[in-house]
């Protein structure tokens, strides 16, 4: 018995272990099954019947992320046309009351179409909290028939960000955006011709062509050549500051800046070659124009450079060389590269901001301690409302065949912006005005009527006194109102003309308003 006891204990232990293992396996299997069921439920989101579904929903949804802190879809197909009809109705009503406002009677539907507003058929939004911090935000403007008008000004198909190599690793702000200014100009010219006539449009274009012509370049030429990428690179320098001379001088953090404009250089080169304030030189195929005079900003020696069709403007030659040099680049930063990989390395617009950028901007109140109370209060409001990100912020705009997609890794969710737009937008403001204005007009009209009635009572009393003192049976306005008369002064409150009143003894004082209303006061 003593020998078999250990074996029995061992057997019971094995059974217990096996049972525990079986229970553990069952629990794990149950958890896995629950996870699968949850995933299936998440993937099988119920939609309304196909006959009731917006025809643009599927196309917009595939560009968004479902299940985060925000998902929004709005079908606006036809809404712009309805808005145009409403505006035309308002314009017709105003013109009927005020003939001089007939210029407002325009074909708003055609204007909106020329500007490209009717291209957008639906809008989608999504926001997801990212596991690495921050939010993945998306916004998609669905334009199934393509883009024209102002939207064509956002450029063509997506392409790699070719000017990203201009950003040093320690840059604080980098922006690269494709711009097609000729397309914007063409849309605006068409609208001007529709509203004011072809003669007005031709006159405006002639003025653009003559502006700057004496200097060898016209504003029209610049507009027609401004087609390509526009890039900005900014870096805050140390802890220094720059004094901005103005009516209220203000200090801002010291910075270096480089701007690049693709396409416009050929129009400006003849002008720069002939301006004596620049010292012209050539270096490695780049035309350099250094400003001879000193500027009142420490560290700044403004430089203009031309390379091919690109125009550069830099705060100094040192920063220009730094941006075009071979030192460490922002594009090679592991954190930046990883984030850009998730957003897309091709696009039509890229914006980057470092945490250090916001740190320096929050120093504005400290840099301006001696400023006026009003300026200091404004700077404090700005500083207190700046974000405090712990990692860089990045956003990418991409032109797709059927729309425009904005993707960003930001410090906040788009739902905050949606909430702001829900309150501070023309529709809400219009609704509030629609409720408030009639009430205000009613109160004002009541106040005006009371004032007019009181004025007539004063006139009636003054007329009676005049009859008593002069034995007259009638009177004029000048007999009753004036510095040395019964009433010193009467001010009209609704366009009424008190001089039109006929004053007769024994008759009530009557006043007829321009709008047909009548008021009366008995003696």
């Amino acid at each position: 018995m003593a020998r078999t006891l250990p074996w029995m204990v061992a057997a019971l232990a094995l059974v217990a272990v096996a049972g525990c293992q079986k229970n553990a396996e069952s629990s794990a299997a149950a958890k896995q099954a629950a996870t699968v069921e949850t995933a299936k439920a998440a993937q099988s989101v119920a939609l309304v019947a196909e006959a009731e579904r917006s025809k643009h929903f599927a196309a917009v949804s595939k560009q968004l992320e479902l299940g985060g802190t925000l998902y929004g879809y709005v079908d606006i197909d036809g809404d712009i046309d309805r808005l145009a009809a409403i505006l035309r109705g308002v314009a017709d009503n105003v013109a009927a009351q005020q003939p001089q406002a007939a210029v407002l009677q325009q074909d708003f539907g055609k204007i909106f179409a020329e500007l490209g507003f009717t291209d957008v058929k639906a809008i989608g939004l999504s926001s997801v909290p990212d596991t690495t911090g921050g939010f993945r935000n998306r916004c998609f403007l669905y334009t199934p028939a393509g883009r024209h008008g102002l939207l064509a000004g956002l450029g063509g198909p997506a392409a790699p960000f070719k000017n990203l190599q201009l950003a040093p690793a320690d840059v604080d702000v980098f922006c690269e955006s494709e711009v097609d200014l000729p397309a914007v100009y063409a849309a605006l010219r068409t609208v001007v011709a529709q509203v004011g006539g072809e003669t007005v449009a031709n006159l405006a274009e002639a003025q653009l062509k003559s502006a700057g012509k004496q200097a060898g370049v016209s504003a029209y030429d610049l507009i027609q050549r401004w087609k390509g990428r526009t890039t900005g690179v900014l870096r805050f320098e140390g802890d220094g500051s720059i004094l901005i001379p103005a009516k209220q001088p203000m200090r801002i953090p010291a910075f270096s800046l480089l701007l690049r404009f693709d396409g416009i250089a050929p129009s400006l080169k003849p002008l720069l070659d002939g301006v004596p304030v620049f010292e012209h030189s050539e270096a490695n195929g780049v035309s350099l124009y250094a400003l001879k005079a000193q500027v009142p900003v420490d560290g700044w020696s403004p430089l203009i450079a031309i390379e091919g069709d690109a125009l550069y403007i830099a705060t100094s030659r040192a920063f220009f060389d730094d941006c075009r040099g071979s030192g460490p680049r922002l594009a090679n930063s592991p954190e930046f590269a990883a984030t850009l990989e998730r957003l897309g390395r091709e696009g039509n617009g890229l914006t980057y901001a470092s945490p250090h950028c916001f740190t320096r901007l929050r120093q504005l109140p400290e840099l301006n301690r001696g400023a006026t109370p009003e300026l200091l209060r404004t700077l404090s409001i700005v500083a207190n409302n700046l974000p405090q990100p712990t990692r860089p912020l990045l956003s990418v705009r991409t032109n797709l065949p059927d729309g425009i997609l904005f993707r960003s890794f930001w410090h906040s969710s788009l739902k905050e912006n949606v909430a702001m737009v829900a309150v501070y937008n023309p529709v809400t403001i219009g609704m509030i005005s629609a409720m408030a204005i009639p009430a205000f007009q009613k109160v004002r009209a009541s106040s005006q009527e009371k004032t007019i009635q009181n004025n007539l009572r004063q006139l009636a009393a003054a007329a009676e006194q005049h009859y008593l003192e002069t034995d007259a049976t009638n009177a004029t306005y000048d007999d009753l109102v004036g510095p040395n008369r019964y009433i010193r002064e009467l001010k009209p409150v609704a366009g009424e003309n008190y001089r039109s009143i006929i004053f007769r003894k024994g008759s009530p004082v009557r006043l007829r308003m321009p709008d047909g209303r009548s008021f009366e006061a008995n003696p």
Side-chain angles (χ1 to χ4, degrees):
M1 183 69 178
R3 291 183 178 180
T4 59
L5 185 58
W7 288 102
M8 292 176 64
V9 174
L12 290 173
L14 289 174
V15 172
V17 170
C20 290
Q21 183 175 357
K22 186 176 181 180
N23 290 337
E25 291 175 354
S26 299
S27 178
K31 289 181 179 179
Q32 184 176 4
T35 302
V36 171
E37 289 301 318
T38 302
K40 288 181 178 179
Q43 293 173 358
S44 58
V45 177
L47 298 178
V48 298
E50 187 172 353
E52 301 172 329
R53 195 176 308 159
S54 167
K55 64 180 180 179
H56 309 307
F57 180 77
V60 174
S61 294
K62 71 179 183 180
Q63 301 295 347
L64 307 176
E65 293 184 277
L66 177 63
T69 60
L70 171 71
Y71 180 91
Y73 169 81
V74 183
D75 188 328
I76 62 171
D77 197 352
D79 290 352
I80 300 297
D81 294 329
R82 286 187 283 272
L83 175 61
I86 292 173
L87 291 177
R88 180 56 192 261
V90 172
D92 290 345
N93 290 333
V94 172
Q97 299 296 326
Q98 302 180 15
Q100 64 271 23
V103 68
L104 298 176
Q105 294 178 289
Q106 300 292 334
D107 186 347
F108 292 102
K110 188 174 181 180
I111 291 175
F112 290 157
E114 293 291 351
L115 293 175
F117 295 163
T118 55
D119 292 344
V120 182
K121 304 301 182 183
I123 301 173
L125 300 169
S126 70
S127 187
V128 180
D130 194 84
T131 55
T132 59
F135 290 83
R136 299 195 310 271
N137 295 322
R138 292 191 178 196
C139 176
F140 182 59
L141 306 182
Y142 183 53
T143 58
R147 297 173 291 107
H148 73 289
L150 299 182
L151 294 181
L154 298 176
F161 298 107
K162 66 175 185 177
N163 295 333
L164 188 55
Q165 77 278 1
L166 292 175
D170 58 352
V171 70
D172 286 301
V173 177
F174 175 82
C175 300
E176 179 179 335
S177 181
E178 185 175 3
V179 178
D180 188 345
L181 210 56
V184 174
Y185 173 78
L188 294 178
R189 189 193 186 283
T190 301
V191 171
V192 170
Q194 180 178 333
V195 174
E198 193 64 30
T199 301
V200 174
N202 290 335
L203 178 61
E205 186 166 293
Q207 291 175 341
L208 285 174
K209 289 180 178 179
S210 62
K213 193 172 183 179
Q214 294 181 347
V217 61
S218 71
Y220 180 81
D221 291 336
L222 288 178
I223 292 173
Q224 294 304 316
R225 288 184 176 273
W226 199 329
K227 184 177 181 179
R229 302 283 172 125
T230 296
T231 306
V233 185
L234 182 145
R235 180 177 67 196
F236 289 109
E237 303 291 358
D239 297 325
S241 64
I242 296 173
L243 180 64
I244 304 298
K247 186 176 181 179
Q248 290 187 348
M250 182 178 73
R251 286 198 171 275
I252 62 174
F255 66 91
S256 294
L257 175 68
L258 178 135
L259 300 174
R260 169 175 165 142
F261 305 92
D262 290 352
I264 67 174
S267 297
L268 290 174
K269 194 173 190 311
L271 170 64
L272 295 173
D273 288 338
V275 175
V277 297
F278 291 109
E279 183 178 343
H280 183 198
S281 62
E282 298 286 335
N284 300 321
V286 180
S287 298
L288 302 174
Y289 302 86
L291 188 65
K292 295 178 181 179
Q294 293 292 321
V295 295
V297 179
D298 292 340
W300 280 21
S301 300
L303 175 77
I304 297 178
I306 289 179
E307 182 181 29
D309 69 347
L311 173 76
Y312 293 89
I313 300 176
T315 52
S316 68
R317 173 66 184 273
F319 190 62
F320 175 77
D321 291 339
D322 194 6
C323 290
R324 291 169 45 83
S326 57
R329 303 284 97 183
L330 175 66
N332 299 329
S333 166
E335 186 177 34
F336 175 87
T339 304
L340 185 60
E341 189 68 35
R342 299 168 66 185
L343 297 179
R345 289 188 169 275
E346 291 189 355
N348 304 84
L350 170 66
T351 302
Y352 163 88
S354 72
H356 180 251
C357 168
F358 299 100
T359 299
R360 290 291 279 141
L361 291 177
R362 283 195 297 272
Q363 295 173 352
L364 284 171
E366 182 181 346
L367 293 175
N368 293 274
R369 291 178 179 176
T372 61
E374 294 79 7
L375 177 58
L376 193 57
R377 190 180 306 114
T378 301
L379 295 178
S380 297
I381 294 174
V382 172
N384 291 334
N385 284 278
L386 287 172
Q388 299 186 35
T390 57
R391 58 174 294 170
L393 308 182
L394 193 63
S395 64
V396 171
R397 170 176 62 87
T398 306
N399 295 340
L400 301 176
D402 62 346
I404 308 169
L405 177 62
F406 300 85
R407 288 170 289 183
S408 67
F409 187 90
W410 218 240
H411 66 284
S412 62
S413 169
L414 276 179
K415 69 179 181 180
E416 298 178 13
N417 304 93
V418 172
M420 290 293 290
V421 172
V423 177
Y424 301 105
N425 68 86
V427 176
T428 303
I429 294 173
M431 292 177 62
I432 295 173
S433 299
M435 293 183 290
I437 290 176
F440 170 76
Q441 291 176 334
K442 185 176 181 179
V443 171
R444 185 179 65 172
S446 176
S447 175
Q448 290 174 344
E449 291 175 1
K450 290 180 180 179
T451 301
I452 293 171
Q453 200 68 51
N454 183 60
N455 289 344
L456 292 181
R457 292 193 190 99
Q458 291 187 63
L459 288 171
E464 286 300 309
Q465 187 67 27
H466 176 73
Y467 303 147
L468 181 63
E469 293 179 358
T470 63
D471 291 329
T473 58
N474 55 56
T476 65
Y477 178 84
D478 292 327
D479 291 332
L480 310 177
V481 182
N484 300 316
R485 303 298 180 184
Y486 304 99
I487 302 172
R488 183 175 182 84
E489 183 182 19
L490 277 183
K491 291 185 178 181
V493 294
E496 69 273 22
N497 181 13
Y498 294 107
R499 291 183 177 276
S500 65
I501 299 175
I502 299 175
F503 297 92
R504 289 194 180 93
K505 186 176 182 179
S507 300
V509 176
R510 294 188 178 93
L511 173 67
R512 187 171 182 82
M513 301 289 289
D515 59 7
R517 290 180 296 163
S518 295
F519 294 86
E520 180 178 305
N522 292 312

